[in-house]
Amino acid sequence: MMKKLLTVTCGLLCAALTFAAPAKGNSKKKSGGDGFSKGSVAMDITVGAPTHSGTDFRKVMIPPLSLCIDGGIASIGSKCAISLGGMASYYLYDVWGTDHGYNYHGHYYTSNLYYDAEQHNVFAAFRGAFHFDPVDKIDIYAGLLMGGHWKIWNYVDGADYHSYYGDNPTRNKFSFGPFIGARFFVSRAFGFKAEFGADSGSGIPYAQGGITFKLK
């Protein structure tokens, strides 16, 4: 999936640069319009699809809820722009299963032991993107993000869970990956958003959709 998304991202960037090249004479697009340009600020509130949690058995209690802010720092021609911003997500899973090795109070147990817990997930990242507006009301973008995924486990039986066979589900992770999305503005200040990213267990939502506000 990562390879396919990178291919689509590169293709979108090349297409955007091709459309932007002839527009040298009209490089100053006013901010505050129906698209995205230098000086624009967009805030998104979205609901995402479940992500990898690091354990095979899980039930979604709260899906990924995200807040994202992108600010335009440069315009390229009349249709393209570059943005920097950030996003934060929270989601809650009920997770359960067995481990294949358990360190508890300095002792190692090899028998399979059952665990059950609520897993609170917090994801936060900086992001940069390249935007292409084919028309004023549509903003198509692609970029990269970098951040972290933090997990808090509340165990039903109150026992500490220190290790896991394979990918440790309690480990916080560094996150890095591409994303691609689009905003459709129904007015100068309000619209809808859809975005897709590559999740390899690092907390990045697979897909998310919601509303967007043009703050500037």
Side-chain angles (χ1 to χ4, degrees), residues 104-118:
Y104 185 66
H105 290 183
H107 298 281
Y108 183 77
Y109 300 88
T110 58
S111 61
N112 291 342
L113 298 175
Y114 177 80
Y115 67 88
D116 188 6
E118 289 184 350

Side-chain angles (χ1 to χ4, degrees), residues 48-66:
T51 68
H52 287 303
S53 69
T55 180
D56 292 333
F57 305 101
R58 61 188 180 273
K59 177 181 178 182
V60 178
M61 301 178 71
I62 298 177
L65 304 176
S66 300

Side-chain angles (χ1 to χ4, degrees), residues 8-32:
V8 173
T9 301
C10 292
L12 180 62
L13 292 177
C14 292
L17 288 172
T18 300
F19 278 101
K24 295 180 180 179
N26 188 23
S27 61
K28 295 183 179 180
K29 186 171 66 172
K30 296 181 180 180
S31 62

Side-chain angles (χ1 to χ4, degrees), residues 36-87:
F36 193 93
S37 61
K38 180 180 179 181
S40 297
V41 178
M43 181 180 72
D44 311 317
I45 300 174
T46 60
V47 177
T51 68
H52 287 303
S53 69
T55 180
D56 292 333
F57 305 101
R58 61 188 180 273
K59 177 181 178 182
V60 178
M61 301 178 71
I62 298 177
L65 304 176
S66 300
L67 174 66
C68 175
I69 297 179
D70 289 330
I73 61 171
S75 290
I76 304 175
S78 62
K79 293 181 178 293
C80 300
I82 297 174
S83 71
L84 290 178
M87 68 173 294

